[in-house]
Every structure is written in structure tokens, then in C-alpha cells.
Amino acid sequence: MNEGLLLVERMILESIGKKEKSIAEISLDSGLRTNLVCSLIGHLVMDNIINLKKGKYYLNFKEKEKWLPLINDKVNIKNEVKELFISLINSHFELSEKKKYGLKIKKIWLNRFDEKILEAHFNNLNEFIENLEKYPNRKEEEKLKEKRVIFWGQSFYGDLAEESLKAS
Amino acid sequence: MNEQKEILEQYMAVNNNPTLRWVAKDTSIQLSRVFRIMNESPMKLDEYLVFRKKIMEKMKLNQYFSVLAMECENKLSLSSIETLAQFMKRALKQKRIKNSNIKYIKSA
């Protein structure tokens, strides 16, 4: 638990966060193999994050103060995001050309005008994605595994280079 | 039997889950015997030692990792070491979860 959540553990919590579920239902929702779900559930039950009632697993909100701050700890979240990035990068480079999910990285110079345009595009994208999150019926009907993970953002090349040096 | 299971798992892991035919060739144990061993037929001592020797040989090839880890420990900053340690801990946790016994769940 001290290491924070793994990506697959987070998926389980998100799945039963929508609605309490059995192992088979979690497996169907998340796309994870049943035996892996069993194993993950076991660890989460032992950590008191989830409980079992009448064959269905649900989040242990009664004791959330014991686990919620820990899983949302900045360092742990950073590690989870890294895991997402690594998975995206690995799948981008390992899958065949046909299946590539589109990881786009460009290094470009921007003048003030370009910067304004890019900012407007980012704002539009933000707004579009925030609007998509507002459909509650989607949350109920659609499978968790079918959610898309989208990354966006930009930074100065020099700042990233400097940051990379801090890693040593 | 646990020791047998552990050594076989380790052998399969260091060799990237090879085929039974590959295992038979590598260990010079007959294919049908390898099949039985993999299906939990108890190993003889000499068979156990062969698997252990093969793992040790492979580990020597991978020794660079230990050397590298030591060099990182001596030369990198504390925060970099912590980053690497977190990465390794998470990888281990993933492995533990993949391998963990599901009997606990069935009785929960």
C-alpha cells in the first residue's frame, strides 16, 4: 500500500466506484482477467480499501480517511501517471503500424501569435473534454475498459532538459 | 514441492517462458520427463540441481544489473535512487499480484 496504487488497482476502484460489483462484473467492466481481478481484490480487501457484501465488492467509504489520503498522495499519483505514460509509450512503439494509438510529440518554435492560437486550441480541447465528462448516463452504461486516456500539454524544451538532469 | 515450484518459476522467468522442447534440450532431461515435472511430478535431486545450475548460469549473464545497481547507489543523488527504488517496488508489486495465490479470495 505504501507504494500507492498500481494502474490495475486503480481500475478496480474506479469500476466498483461506479457501482458495487461481483468479480465477474469487474472483469467484464475492466477487461482484466478474472484470476487477476481475484488477486487484485485480495490485496485491496487486505488493505481495507474495499469490502464484500452479498458477493459484491464496494469501496470502504466508512474508513476512507485511512486509505484515501495515501492513494491520493502526490508521489503515488506521480508514479501512477508515469505508469500510464510508460504503457502508452510501450504500446506506441511495440504495436504494429496499423494499431498505433497515436502518440504525437513535436518540437516547434512558437511566436506570440502561434502561442495564442495554441492556447485557444488547448482551451477548446479542455472545454470539449470537460463537457464529455458531464454525461452521467455514460458512466453507468459504458465499460471502463473502453474509456480513452488522452494526454496533452506542452513545455519549453530547455525546461524539460533541465528537469531531466535532476533525475541524476 | 514449494521449492520445486519456485525453482521452475524462476527458470521459466529467466528464460522468458520457453517451450518444453527448449527446456528439455537446455537441461538434457527427456521431454516427457520435463512435461511431468512441469505438471508437478516430484523432481529428483539431480534434476533440481540441473535447473538450479541453469538459473545460476543465466543469472551470471544478468549480473550486470547488480553491478549497475551498485554504481547507481554510489553515484546518483538520493532523490534519483528513490525514483528508481519506487519503480522497482512497483514492478515487484505487479509481479506479486500476478503470481499471488487466489485461494484467499475464494474463502473471503
Side-chain angles (χ1 to χ4, degrees), chain A residues 4-5 9 38-39 42 83 167, chain B residues 80 86 90 93-94 97 100 105:
Chain A
L5 292 176
E9 287 178 312
C38 283
S39 179
E83 206 178 319
Chain B
S80 309
Q86 280 168 8
R90 287 175 73 84
K93 188 178 175 186
Q94 280 172 341
I97 284 172
S100 65
I105 310 300

Side-chain angles (χ1 to χ4, degrees), chain B residues 5 8 14 16 18-19 28 33 38 45 61 63 66 72 77-78 80 85 88 90 93 101 105-106:
Chain B
K5 201 178 161 198
L8 288 176
V14 295
N16 288 330
T19 59
S28 308
R33 179 69 189 141
M38 292 294 179
L45 179 63
L61 287 177
Q63 215 176 22
S66 312
C72 286
S77 66
L78 275 180
S80 309
M88 288 159 93
R90 287 175 73 84
K93 188 178 175 186
N101 194 340
I105 310 300
K106 286 177 179 166

